[in-house]
Amino acid sequence: MRRREPKRRRRRERGRPRLPLRRSLLGRLLIVSVLVASCAVAATAWLAVQTTSGAIRQEQGQDLSSDAKIYNTLLGYAATHPRWEDVEDTARELARTSQRRIVLTTEDRRPLFDSAGASSVAPLPAQASAVVDPLSVDTVLVPDAMTAGSDRIDPRAVGPFLLPANERTELRAITEKQVACLNSVGVAADVVDGPSGRPRIEFVRGDTDRDLEFKCVAQNSGATLTEKKALDELNTLADACLKRQGHKGATLNLDLSWDRGYGQITAAEKQSAEKHPSEKYPAEKKAAAVERGDDRAIASCVGSARREQLTDHVAAPALLFIDGTGAVSVPGFDLSPSNTARIVGVTALVLALTVGVSVIAGARLVRPLHALTGAAQRMRDGLDSAPVPVGPDNEIGRLAAAFNDMAVHRARLEEQRKVMVSDVAHELRTPLSNIRGWLEAAQDGLADPDPAFVSSLLEEAVQLQHIIDDLQDLGAADVGALRLHPEPVYADELLGQVAAAYQGPAETAGVTLSVATPKPGPPGPTLYADPVRLRQAVSNLVSNAVRHTPSGGRVTLRSYRTGPGHGDEVALEVSDTGAGIPADDIPHVFDRFWRAEKSRNRSTGGSGLGLAIVLKLAEAQGGTASVVSTEGKGSVFTLRLPPAPAEAPADATAAEAAAGPDGPDPINMTL
C-alpha cells in the first residue's frame, strides 16, 4: 500500500492544471522586468541622443563659426597680399583667440606657418580643413553673398583696380556731395568704401524717390585713370578668350557688366525678318538664344580673365589645417544604419540580460512557493509532507519556516487527536466493560444485585460521567461558551477547602497534604474568579500531585501576591516532592491526553485531561498556568489570576513582608 502512495501522489499532481505563464508569479515578474528594462533603455537612449546631439550641434556650430572666421580672415589676407610672408601675426592672433592649432602649407605641403611652433611633431591630417584661394572661394565656409557673382572670386581681391589715395579723395568728395543732396531732400543715404577704395552710396531705407535720386546722382563720377587702365587690360584678356571660342568681343563696364547686340545673326536673316513680320519671332528667338550663348561665354571669359589678371596680385593657394580641443569628431552619434544597428544590438543584449536575470531570480523565488504549494496539497490529501527547504532569511524563507512549524504543529495535533480518540475509547471502554460484565453476570445468575454490586456499578458510572464532564468542559472552553460567575474569593479559604477534600486520598497514598499559611498578620490575598471553576482547577492540580507523589512525600498549597512590579496578580501554588517531569516533557504537560507516565494504570495515568482543563479554566478567567519541575525532586504548578478590585496592593505587600523572603512557612493542616 505504501509503494502505491507515491504513484498516486504523482498522478494527482500531474492532474492539477498548471497556471498559465501570464498569471504566474514568474510570468508577471518577467513581464514587469522586460517593461522596466525596455522603458529604461528607451529613456536612456533618447536622453543620451537628445543631450549628446544638442551638445554636438552646439559645439559643431561653434567650431564651424570659428573655422569660418579663421578661413575668412586668412582669405582676406590672401586677397590683399601677393605672398604669405607676413601672415604670421594674423595667423597667430587667430590661433590665440580660437584656441586652435592653425597650420598653413603650400599645395605640396611645404610649411608656411604653424601656430604650434617649429618644434611641433604632431602629424597633419591626411585632408586639409580648407584651401585658402581668393580666386576660388569655398562657399561652405563663406556665404555666397560675400563673393562677387558666380565666379567664386573673393571681392576683396581687386588687384590693379586698387585706387591710389588721390583718386580716392576725389571720388569721395563727389560722392559726399551726392549724399548731401539726397539727405537735403529727405533721402537717408551714406558713403561706403568698396574693396578697391571707390566710394559708393548706400541708402539707409529701401524705398526712395527715383526722381530725387536721379536729380542728386546725375553727376556720374565715371572711371578713374587707374580703373580705365585695369579695365582695358581685363577687356583685352576677355576678348582674347572670346575670340578663341569663336565669339565676338564685348565691351566691359566698370561694374564688369558688358554691352551686347544681336550677336552672330546674319544680315540676310535680319532683312528677312523685316520683310516678313510673321517670321520675325523665330528670328528674334534665335537672336535671344545667341545672346544667351554669348552671355555664358562672356561670363566665363570674364571670370578667366579676372583670375589671370589677379594672379600676380593675390597670394598663391595654401592648404589650411585647423586642429585642437575644439575639433569635434562624432561618428558614433550620427543615426547611421550601422549605429542604429549597434543601438538595437545593445538594447537586445540588455533585454536578454534582463530576461535571463529575471528568469533566474523568478525561478529561485517561485521554487520555494511551488514546494510550499505541493506540501500544502499533500497535507490536504492527508499525506505526510516532508519539511520544505528553508532558504535565506527573507520573506520566502520566513514563510517556509512558518509553514514547517505549522506542519509540525498540525502533525502533533493530528497525533494528539489520534491518541485522544484512542484514550477516550480506552477510558470509556474500561468502565463500560466492567458495567457490562457485572450486568451479564447478574443476568446469568452468577452475581447477586447486593449493595456491593450496586456500589461497583455506580463507581464505574461516576468514572464515565467524570470523563464526559471533562470533555464537555474542554469543548465549552474551546468555543468560549464556558459559563463563569466571578466574585471575590479568599485564596487561603479556597485552598483549605480543596485540601480538606483530598485529605483522605492523600492519607491513603501516604502523602502529607498541607496548606502553607502566613504567620499571624493581615489576611491572605483575595482574588476575583469563579469559585466553583477555580476550585475545580486547584482540585485537578492537587489530584495530579497526590497521584504522582510516592508514599512519604509531601504536597503543599500556598497563595501570595506577586506585587505591582510583577503584574500585580494572585498566585495559587501547588508543589510536590514527586518524581518530577523531564525537561523535554514540560512543554506538553498541558496538552490533552498527554501523560508523563505512558501506562494506562488508573493510579498514576489518569485520563490525561486534568491539566488541559486547568489551563483552559485559568485562561477563561484572565489568568495563566505554568509549571516548574526538576526531575527527581518534584514539581511546582502555579495559577496566576487577577486580584479582587477592592483589595489594595498594600495588603499584599504587607503580607509578603510578614512572610519573609522565602514565602510563608508551611503549617500542616489536619482537616
Side-chain angles (χ1 to χ4, degrees):
M1 196 70 178
R2 293 182 177 271
R3 295 178 181 176
R4 297 179 182 178
E5 191 173 279
K7 293 183 179 179
R8 290 200 301 268
R9 181 186 307 170
R10 290 194 296 269
R11 195 179 301 116
R12 282 193 296 268
E13 291 178 354
R14 287 196 299 267
R16 298 187 184 99
R18 296 181 62 87
L19 285 173
L21 184 62
R22 61 182 177 83
R23 294 179 56 191
S24 65
L25 182 61
L26 177 61
R28 294 181 181 180
L29 178 64
L30 186 61
I31 292 173
V32 171
S33 301
V34 170
L35 289 177
V36 171
S38 300
C39 294
V41 170
T44 304
W46 180 84
L47 183 61
V49 169
Q50 293 296 320
T51 304
T52 308
S53 299
I56 290 173
R57 284 195 298 268
Q58 182 179 2
E59 192 166 358
Q60 282 180 329
Q62 294 174 353
D63 290 341
L64 185 60
S65 176
S66 176
D67 292 350
K69 180 180 178 181
I70 294 172
Y71 174 78
N72 189 48
T73 303
L74 294 176
L75 189 65
Y77 181 89
T80 55
H81 294 77
R83 287 176 296 277
W84 292 101
E85 296 176 356
D86 299 328
V87 76
E88 181 176 352
D89 294 339
T90 302
R92 195 173 300 281
E93 178 63 19
L94 289 173
R96 185 188 65 81
T97 55
S98 63
Q99 298 296 316
R100 313 283 289 279
R101 180 191 178 194
I102 298 176
V103 180
L104 280 172
T105 67
T106 61
E107 291 184 308
D108 56 358
R109 292 196 173 230
R110 287 185 295 104
L112 295 174
F113 170 79
D114 189 348
S115 62
S119 60
S120 176
V121 294
L124 295 176
Q127 184 176 359
S129 302
V131 178
V132 183
D133 184 3
L135 303 181
S136 180
V137 177
D138 189 343
T139 56
V140 175
L141 294 174
V142 178
D144 293 340
M146 299 188 64
T147 62
S150 59
D151 53 7
R152 296 176 58 190
I153 298 176
D154 193 298
R156 292 168 292 187
V158 294
F161 286 89
L162 184 63
L163 299 178
N166 58 337
E167 292 182 353
R168 292 185 184 185
T169 303
E170 181 181 352
L171 292 175
R172 188 170 185 84
I174 297 173
T175 306
E176 287 179 351
K177 290 180 179 180
Q178 294 174 347
V179 169
C181 175
L182 291 172
N183 292 336
S184 65
V185 296
V187 178
D190 200 357
V191 179
V192 178
D193 289 332
S196 64
R198 166 176 276 275
R200 59 183 178 83
I201 299 175
E202 183 176 89
F203 295 94
V204 178
R205 292 190 298 269
D207 296 336
T208 60
D209 189 336
R210 296 297 181 182
D211 294 336
L212 296 176
E213 179 184 346
F214 179 77
K215 177 182 178 182
C216 291
V217 299
Q219 181 184 0
N220 192 347
S221 56
T224 65
L225 294 177
T226 302
E227 291 172 337
K228 288 179 180 180
K229 181 179 178 181
L231 189 60
D232 291 341
E233 180 185 357
L234 180 61
N235 217 141
T236 300
L237 295 173
D239 288 344
C241 174
L242 290 171
K243 186 177 181 180
R244 287 193 298 270
Q245 297 181 12
H247 295 276
K248 65 179 181 179
T251 302
L252 297 179
N253 301 319
L254 187 59
D255 58 356
L256 300 183
S257 62
W258 53 85
D259 296 330
R260 50 185 171 79
Y262 274 93
Q264 296 179 348
I265 297 178
T266 62
E269 291 174 339
K270 186 175 180 181
Q271 185 178 6
S272 175
E274 291 176 354
K275 291 182 178 180
H276 305 282
S278 60
E279 300 178 1
K280 181 177 181 180
Y281 293 109
E284 290 180 353
K285 290 180 180 179
K286 183 177 180 181
V290 172
E291 289 177 0
R292 285 194 297 271
D294 288 344
D295 286 343
R296 287 193 293 270
I298 294 172
S300 175
C301 287
V302 169
S304 300
R306 289 191 65 198
R307 291 184 181 87
E308 184 178 355
Q309 184 186 35
L310 295 173
T311 299
D312 295 335
H313 300 274
V314 298
L319 300 181
L320 172 63
F321 298 89
I322 303 176
D323 196 6
T325 57
V328 179
S329 178
V330 288
F333 288 97
D334 58 341
L335 294 179
S336 61
S338 60
N339 287 322
T340 302
R342 188 180 307 170
I343 293 174
V344 172
V346 172
T347 303
L349 178 61
V350 172
L351 289 177
L353 292 176
T354 303
V355 171
V357 172
S358 300
V359 169
I360 296 174
R364 296 188 62 181
L365 178 65
V366 172
R367 190 180 300 116
L369 296 180
H370 286 168
L372 288 171
T373 303
Q377 291 173 343
R378 288 191 294 273
M379 290 174 61
R380 182 198 64 186
D381 296 338
L383 304 175
D384 294 335
S385 177
V388 177
V390 178
D393 186 16
N394 51 28
E395 290 80 357
I396 302 297
R398 294 182 180 182
L399 175 61
F403 182 86
N404 290 335
D405 292 342
M406 181 193 69
V408 172
H409 183 67
R410 175 188 174 277
R412 185 169 64 249
L413 290 179
E414 181 65 18
E415 185 65 26
Q416 289 177 356
R417 184 187 66 82
K418 294 178 180 179
V419 172
M420 183 185 72
V421 172
S422 177
D423 289 345
V424 169
H426 179 80
E427 294 296 333
L428 294 178
R429 183 185 298 113
T430 300
L432 286 174
S433 298
N434 292 335
I435 292 173
R436 179 181 177 182
W438 282 107
L439 290 176
E440 289 178 348
Q443 185 180 17
D444 295 339
L446 300 177
D448 296 331
D450 54 9
F453 177 83
V454 175
S455 177
S456 177
L457 293 180
L458 180 61
E459 181 182 355
E460 298 298 336
V462 169
Q463 181 66 21
L464 284 175
Q465 183 66 40
H466 179 67
I467 294 175
I468 293 172
D469 290 343
D470 287 346
L471 291 173
Q472 185 177 7
D473 290 342
L474 284 175
D478 287 338
V479 299
L482 194 63
R483 294 183 179 181
L484 299 174
H485 302 282
E487 60 183 50
V489 178
Y490 292 102
D492 291 343
E493 180 180 346
L494 183 140
L495 294 180
Q497 294 173 358
V498 174
Y502 283 88
Q503 192 65 36
E507 291 177 354
T508 302
V511 176
T512 301
L513 177 61
S514 62
V515 178
T517 59
K519 296 177 180 180
T526 303
L527 50 85
Y528 192 71
D530 186 326
V532 176
R533 294 297 185 182
L534 183 58
R535 191 180 300 113
Q536 179 184 359
V538 177
S539 297
N540 286 348
L541 292 178
V542 173
S543 174
N544 190 68
V546 170
R547 189 166 54 250
H548 290 86
T549 300
S551 179
R554 188 182 188 89
V555 176
T556 305
L557 287 71
R558 71 167 182 163
S559 66
Y560 58 91
R561 285 286 291 274
T562 60
H566 299 83
D568 191 19
E569 296 174 327
V570 176
L572 303 180
E573 189 175 278
V574 178
S575 60
D576 63 68
T577 58
I581 304 172
D584 294 338
D585 294 338
I586 288 179
H588 308 292
V589 296
F590 291 102
D591 293 343
R592 300 174 186 182
F593 291 105
W594 183 89
R595 295 184 178 89
E597 172 61 43
K598 304 302 180 182
S599 69
R600 298 287 181 177
N601 191 342
R602 286 281 182 88
S603 63
T604 58
S607 66
L609 296 174
L611 293 180
I613 293 175
V614 169
L615 178 62
K616 289 295 183 180
L617 292 176
E619 292 177 347
Q621 301 184 80
T624 59
S626 61
V627 60
V628 177
S629 182
T630 302
E631 191 172 5
K633 294 184 178 181
S635 305
V636 179
F637 286 85
T638 304
L639 298 178
R640 289 181 171 83
L641 298 167
E647 185 180 14
D651 296 339
T653 305
E656 289 182 353
D662 298 329
D665 294 333
I667 299 177
N668 293 338
M669 296 184 64
T670 304
L671 300 174

